Amino acid sequence: MTDETDEANRRLVALEIRLSHHEIMAEELSEVVAQQARSIDVLVAEVRRLKERLGEAEAGLPGSPQDDRPPPHY
């Protein structure tokens, strides 16, 4: 019975160690995901600003006569 108890205790300790490693890994992954989300938010805001600036720049340019002609396949 002692051998079975010792084996059960060893297995339990091994499982607790594995669980501990998984918890640490989950916390690290969570932080990575949070950092990526913040980076994505910054990039999305930058793309919006660039689109607005491009739209403003295009609005200030005079239209080309070629822009008014229909494409050649018409």
Side-chain angles (χ1 to χ4, degrees):
M1 190 93 139
T2 304
D3 289 339
E4 290 178 11
T5 304
D6 288 344
E7 178 63 24
N9 284 337
R10 280 192 291 271
R11 291 178 66 198
L12 182 60
V13 168
L15 286 173
E16 288 174 342
I17 291 170
R18 289 177 66 189
L19 176 62
S20 176
H21 287 293
H22 284 280
E23 288 174 341
I24 291 169
M25 185 174 36
E27 289 173 12
E28 290 172 351
L29 286 172
S30 178
E31 180 59 31
V32 168
V33 169
Q35 288 173 342
Q36 289 178 342
R38 288 189 294 270
S39 295
I40 289 170
D41 290 342
V42 168
L43 293 171
V44 165
E46 183 66 20
V47 167
R48 281 193 188 119
R49 282 192 298 272
L50 290 172
K51 279 183 167 181
E52 289 173 5
R53 288 179 60 189
L54 181 60
E56 291 169 0
E58 286 178 341
L61 294 176
S64 167
Q66 291 178 337
D67 293 339
D68 295 334
R69 291 190 309 197
H73 62 275
Y74 279 120

